[in-house]
Amino acid sequence: MGLYNETVDFLSGAFSNHQTQIPLLAVTGASFTLGLLARSVFPQNESLPTVLVSPRSTVLPESENRKLPLPADALPGARDVASPYGSMRVYEWGPEDGPKVLFVHGITTPCISLGGVAHALVDRGCRVMLFDLFGRGYSDCPADLPQDDRLFSTQIFLALTSSPISWTGAESGKFCLTGYSLGGGIAAAFASYFPKLLSSLVLLAPSGLLRDSHISFQSRLLYSKGLMPENILASLVSRRLKAGPLASSKPKNEKPSAADVLTEELPSQSAAATQILSREYPHINIPSTVAWQVNNNKGFVHAFMSSMRYGPILRERQWNTWARLGEYLTAQNSASSNEDKRPADNKVHILCGNSDSIIVKSELVPDATAALDGNVVFKFYEAGHEFPSTKYEEVASYIFDIL
């Protein structure tokens, strides 16, 4: 039962005897009681600073920087962009006149997870931009704002306007927006409000249409604000993140918990060993990067918990957002047909893994098709949720073909 069991064990040794079979109802009732008790015993830590600072402020000698699991210059074209929300890290490189691709990464990993795809697209003549979401990698975290569609859309604009070249002007040629996992939900939400800025939309194992039934009751309790003191929850989430990838896959009939969701972006150790996400630092791999991030970015755990609570993940919250995008695409396709012109790329391209236990193919296809009014194309790979970091050449080829 993942973090939920950790919560109970952490607060009361009475539940540490795993030979005792406790009915779910009794455990649930106990969690509420223990939660109320904990709130009266432990400090609530309500006075968080406005901005939680990232590791960017720690300047290391070049020899030490090179040894980090995530060196400060892991990707080309690194820059730190100041904003009212804190500093954010952006990477941008490739031919200035090439087709433009902006990447948005997932809930757990910084943008280095999409480094392999980005490098492969630059090899094909593209201009790419990646950035660390607030609280990940080298980006600060605004501690007083929810990590929701509004904050994420603002961050996308901050990244775009920091570029030395135009990504949105009349002569820019627009850009392809590519989002992975949570970034897929972020990208879909952004596209639903600002579709005219985009040349195409590519979603890699996207959140946003995850069925409510896939979030276990235990996880709902854990991520319900106010049940437990925030500092205790943060400590438990931090411990689970430090534990690394799941030791084994979940049975098909068992709901993945929030603890499982956050580790699905992490490839197996064998897969991680074959990744080349940074050409400057081939040693970089996602598991060690996430472990470093937990220990060194003060805003990471806060950002993860806030994204789980408020981010574009669940179908019940995001259906209207996807439907708005579908209505726009239907209108565009109708207009193109009436003008008897070759239609633009008025489809959403969704790429997923056949064995993804979080974004389930049999549910995603009918749900996305209905929400987007049929304006969608699917591509599936023999892989799991982590496929963008292991099959980056194939993913890059697909994206380049639609640019």
Side-chain angles (χ1 to χ4, degrees), residues 133-149:
L133 290 170
F134 286 127
R136 285 82 166 181
Y138 286 96
S139 288
D140 296 345
C141 177
D144 57 343
L145 296 172
Q147 297 228 345
D148 58 11
D149 294 353

Side-chain angles (χ1 to χ4, degrees), residues 39-115:
R39 289 183 66 81
S40 66
V41 174
F42 293 92
Q44 297 303 298
N45 194 24
E46 296 294 344
S47 57
L48 281 175
T50 302
V51 174
L52 301 173
V53 181
S54 74
R56 68 176 176 80
S57 58
T58 303
V59 179
L60 297 175
E62 175 62 22
S63 59
E64 292 185 35
N65 173 69
R66 295 191 65 85
K67 296 177 183 178
L68 290 176
L70 183 63
D73 55 345
L75 295 173
R79 61 177 178 266
D80 291 314
V81 180
S83 84
Y85 307 93
S87 177
M88 60 178 286
R89 171 60 57 86
V90 180
Y91 303 92
E92 181 181 0
W93 77 102
E96 292 189 358
D97 59 350
K100 300 178 180 68
V101 184
L102 174 67
F103 291 94
V104 186
H105 65 84
I107 191 170
T108 305
T109 61
C111 68
I112 190 65
S113 62
L114 297 172

Side-chain angles (χ1 to χ4, degrees), residues 4 12 15 23 41 80 88 90 101 142 200 237 297 304 372:
Y4 180 70
S12 174
F15 292 93
V41 174
D80 291 314
M88 60 178 286
V90 180
V101 184
S200 50
V237 172
N297 192 319
F304 172 79
L372 295 170

Side-chain angles (χ1 to χ4, degrees), residues 141-158:
C141 177
D144 57 343
L145 296 172
Q147 297 228 345
D148 58 11
D149 294 353
R150 296 169 296 178
L151 181 64
F152 292 131
S153 292
T154 299
Q155 192 175 10
I156 288 175
F157 278 119
L158 290 171

Side-chain angles (χ1 to χ4, degrees), residues 168-169 174-175 190-199 328 332:
T168 60
K174 303 184 178 183
F175 65 93
F190 182 89
S192 76
Y193 289 106
F194 311 105
K196 294 182 180 180
L197 297 180
L198 308 183
S199 61
Y328 172 84
Q332 289 297 106

Side-chain angles (χ1 to χ4, degrees), residues 237-304:
V237 172
S238 177
R239 286 170 57 190
R240 183 60 187 88
L241 283 160
K242 290 177 181 178
L246 296 173
S248 58
S249 59
K250 285 285 196 185
K252 289 186 177 181
N253 61 347
E254 185 175 340
K255 292 180 182 179
S257 70
D260 304 329
V261 173
L262 65 89
T263 57
E264 284 297 313
E265 293 177 17
L266 308 182
S268 65
Q269 292 294 339
S270 59
T274 65
Q275 295 176 319
I276 302 295
L277 304 178
S278 167
R279 294 184 180 175
E280 180 69 21
Y281 302 99
H283 72 274
I284 292 178
N285 64 72
I286 292 175
S288 61
T289 295
V290 171
W292 172 86
Q293 184 176 240
V294 175
N295 291 314
N296 292 276
N297 192 319
K298 297 177 181 178
F300 176 55
V301 173
H302 175 86
F304 172 79

